[in-house]
Amino acid sequence: MDVRRGQPGQREERAQREPRAQREPRGRVDRRRFLLIAGIPLLAVGAGTAYALWPGPDRSGPQVRTDLKPLNARFGPYVGTLVEAHWLGYDIDEPPGGSRTVPGSDSRIRLVGVARLTAGGAAAVTGRAEYAFTPAAAPSEPPAPLVPHLPAGAAWQHSPQFDAHANREGAEGNPSGEYLFDPARDLVRFDLLYLYT
C-alpha cells in the first residue's frame, strides 16, 4: 500500500496537473460559452427582423406577365390557343404595391392584355356568322405598363355576342368584359373583370 497516495500535498499537485475541463463538474458552463450560446439566436432574430423591414425595390403596381398557362386555361377554349402574351392580373380594390396574390372573398380581379393566337386563329373566331363581328370603336386606354406592348394601327373587331359566349354564367369568377380581335395580325386584346364572391 502506497502511503503517499492519501497525503494532502499530493492531491493539490495532481489537481494542478489535470486539465481544467476535467476538474469542473459536468453541466457547468463558463460565462463566455453562455454568452456565445445565448447570443447566436438573438443575432439571428435581429438579422431576420432587419431584413424584413429593409425597403425593397419599388413595385408601385402590377408587373407585366408573359406566361400563357393561366390565360389558355381561362379563355383559351373560346379564343383559341395563345402563343405569346403580355398581360396584367390584379385586384382592383387593393392599394398600389399590395401583396395579395390569391383572390379573397369579394375580390375583383382585372385581367387585361394582348395576346397572339396561332396562325389563322383570330380569323377563325371572327369569321363565325353567329358572332357578327364589326369594326370596334377605339378601345379604352390600357394600364401604363401594357402600352409598349400594344401594336400601333391594329384593326380591332368586336362582337357583343362573342363576349356573352366567352363570359357565360358559370365560368370561374363570373367574368365580364370584352374581347377585341385583329384577324390580320392574329391578335386578341382582352379586358376582363372576374368577381369572386
Side-chain angles (χ1 to χ4, degrees):
M1 180 167 158
D2 189 3
V3 179
R4 292 188 304 171
R5 186 180 284 183
Q7 293 180 359
Q10 291 287 331
R11 270 190 242 142
E12 289 173 14
E13 193 176 303
R14 191 173 356 132
Q16 289 174 357
R17 281 185 275 160
E18 289 179 6
R20 184 177 179 183
Q22 291 178 355
R23 286 184 286 154
E24 290 180 0
R26 288 189 179 194
R28 185 174 174 191
V29 179
D30 66 1
R31 186 183 341 167
R32 278 188 232 163
R33 211 176 291 160
F34 172 76
L35 291 174
L36 182 65
I37 291 170
I40 289 176
L42 291 175
L43 284 173
V45 168
T49 303
Y51 178 77
L53 297 176
W54 195 268
D58 181 28
R59 293 188 170 226
S60 56
Q63 303 299 308
V64 174
R65 297 174 60 173
T66 58
D67 49 328
L68 299 172
K69 189 173 181 179
L71 300 180
N72 277 320
R74 287 202 183 267
F75 52 81
Y78 309 109
V79 302
T81 303
L82 306 176
V83 294
E84 179 185 359
H86 293 90
W87 61 283
L88 300 171
Y90 59 95
D91 188 333
I92 64 172
D93 297 319
E94 188 170 335
S99 60
R100 187 182 332 172
T101 57
V102 176
S105 59
D106 298 327
S107 289
R108 295 186 302 164
I109 306 298
R110 184 179 184 195
L111 196 64
V112 57
V114 64
R116 184 170 309 282
L117 298 164
T118 56
V125 174
T126 59
R128 294 181 62 178
E130 67 265 27
Y131 297 137
F133 274 87
T134 58
S140 61
E141 188 66 26
L146 280 178
V147 170
H149 305 288
L150 294 177
W156 298 114
Q157 294 186 21
H158 180 246
S159 167
Q161 293 89 342
F162 179 82
D163 292 345
H165 169 70
N167 296 329
R168 71 177 191 267
E169 195 172 319
E172 179 188 355
N174 300 318
S176 63
E178 68 178 12
Y179 298 86
L180 303 176
F181 291 86
D182 181 349
R185 300 182 189 190
D186 282 313
L187 294 175
V188 60
R189 182 173 169 174
F190 50 92
D191 194 345
L192 308 169
L193 188 63
Y194 286 84
L195 302 176
Y196 293 90
T197 56

